[in-house]
Amino acid sequence: MVGPTASGKSELALEAARKLPDIELVSMDSMQIYRGMDIGTAKPTRAEQAASHLHLVDVVDPWETFSVKRFQHAARAAVHDIEARGKRALLVGGTGLYVQSVIDDLRFPGEDLELRRSLEAEAAEPEGLHAAYERLQRLDPTAAARIDSGNTRRIVRALEVIELTGKPFSSFGPGLRELGSATVFPVQLIGLAFPASVLNARIETRVHEMIDTGLVDEVEGLRSEPRGWSRTARQAIGYKEVDAFLGGDEPTLESAIDRVIKRTRSFARRQRAWFARDGRIEWFEVGKNSGETRSRILASWGAV
């Protein structure tokens, strides 16, 4: 089950797990894998995780790195384990690349850590990230359109792959070029959708709720960790902006909140564009008659 952030995927998945005891959930969220990053990732509570047998949450500490390739192996292993026990795996999340890495025959290029460190150093220079993103736009506009201009890690990785292979970063994996091929294991793909105006309002409400329930304290705790936190974790929406506020680079908490809302809305637009390319997804509009829509989805999985 896929869809943009704040579309209610987790709530519906948890309801399915409550009503259908043969279902176990597998998170397809690139940030819920980190321990201690709970509020800003809208992570289900510990009780909800236990009740739904939720997999791939709290896998690594924030100072550790975690690649898409590593996620691919872990998620496929979880699906295999669930099905081997006679259960059904419900994959739920909005990180498009992570979803595709699990269900499609997506393969990943090699790495050159020395080249990566060089590119990271260039990006860290004044205006370096802007120049790196402009370079990516010239070399691979398709990849650039899918990457946040402030996401240093992904920009550097894209440039690393381009230099290492001489091919566009967007060319790796059939799923990134053309969707619709057979999945690596049988899967029913459904998506949840809201009208943009409704989703934008839900995003704003969610961000304020995160602040009210302690996101600033959560980020302060991560900042105080002696081992630090990885570049990937630090780039997470909400964490990056609050970290900038606490570090003095963002003048007020209100301005940081505004940036979180804008960045989340931009992320939701990219999610919609990513999943819209996949004709295998059956979409359900949940903006109107949401209760009826949820019942239809649950019924299709066997819930009454």
Side-chain angles (χ1 to χ4, degrees):
M1 179 165 53
V2 301
T5 187
S7 60
K9 300 181 299 298
S10 295
E11 293 88 343
L12 181 56
L14 291 168
E15 183 178 352
R18 288 195 303 271
K19 294 183 174 180
L20 298 164
D22 67 325
I23 278 183
E24 295 186 15
L25 306 184
V26 182
S27 170
M28 295 285 107
D29 189 293
S30 62
M31 293 300 161
Q32 288 188 357
I33 60 172
Y34 291 107
R35 301 183 188 100
M37 295 177 63
D38 304 333
I39 297 172
T41 64
K43 192 180 295 179
T45 66
R46 295 298 174 86
E48 289 171 333
Q49 293 177 39
S52 61
H53 303 284
L54 181 58
H55 299 257
L56 293 190
V57 163
D58 294 337
V59 176
V60 295
D61 290 309
W63 54 86
E64 299 180 72
T65 57
F66 198 86
S67 66
V68 181
K69 185 175 182 179
R70 185 177 170 188
F71 182 90
Q72 180 187 61
H73 290 312
R76 288 180 178 176
V79 171
H80 177 76
D81 171 67
I82 292 167
E83 294 184 342
R85 291 185 281 104
K87 305 288 187 177
R88 288 186 291 169
L90 174 54
L91 284 62
V92 55
T95 306
L97 179 59
Y98 278 51
V99 173
Q100 283 189 249
S101 76
V102 177
I103 69 172
D104 287 317
D105 184 22
L106 200 60
R107 302 170 189 178
F108 298 94
E111 299 180 321
D112 186 325
L113 297 183
E114 184 175 346
L115 172 59
R116 184 182 304 173
R117 284 191 288 269
S118 175
L119 291 167
E120 288 173 343
E122 291 177 9
E125 294 290 330
E127 297 300 316
L129 181 58
H130 178 71
Y133 188 69
E134 286 192 335
R135 181 182 173 198
L136 180 60
Q137 288 178 311
R138 291 194 304 272
L139 296 175
D140 190 351
T142 300
R146 297 171 183 162
I147 297 176
D148 187 329
S149 61
N151 192 328
T152 305
R153 179 185 61 85
R154 291 199 64 202
I155 292 170
V156 165
R157 175 57 175 157
L159 291 173
E160 174 193 348
V161 170
I162 292 169
E163 289 200 26
L164 186 62
T165 67
K167 300 177 181 179
F169 181 64
S170 58
S171 70
F172 284 88
L176 295 183
R177 295 195 305 272
E178 183 177 346
L179 296 175
S181 58
T183 54
V184 295
F185 53 80
V187 60
Q188 175 193 11
L189 288 168
I190 71 165
L192 302 185
F194 274 94
S197 59
V198 177
L199 188 65
N200 285 341
R202 287 172 62 90
I203 287 170
E204 182 172 355
T205 298
R206 171 182 275 192
V207 171
H208 283 290
E209 288 175 348
M210 288 176 175
I211 296 297
D212 292 342
T213 53
L215 179 58
V216 175
D217 290 339
E218 187 168 84
V219 176
E220 282 184 332
L222 291 166
R223 286 170 56 88
S224 67
E225 166 57 51
R227 286 163 288 191
W229 48 339
S230 71
R231 180 176 291 103
T232 303
R234 190 184 292 270
Q235 290 289 327
I237 297 176
Y239 293 89
K240 178 180 180 179
E241 292 76 15
V242 173
D243 180 45
F245 162 67
L246 293 173
D249 295 325
E250 188 68 48
T252 66
L253 179 58
E254 288 71 23
S255 63
I257 292 171
D258 186 56
R259 286 185 181 275
V260 176
I261 293 170
K262 290 178 179 178
R263 189 176 169 208
T264 307
R265 288 173 174 170
S266 176
F267 176 53
R269 287 194 295 272
R270 294 196 306 276
Q271 288 176 300
R272 288 196 297 266
W274 181 290
F275 291 123
R277 298 177 301 126
D278 195 337
R280 300 169 300 184
I281 299 173
E282 179 183 4
W283 287 97
F284 290 85
E285 177 65 65
V286 289
K288 298 178 180 178
N289 302 318
S290 60
E292 178 183 340
T293 301
R294 293 163 67 92
S295 296
R296 284 171 52 210
I297 296 172
L298 290 170
S300 73
W301 293 335
V304 294

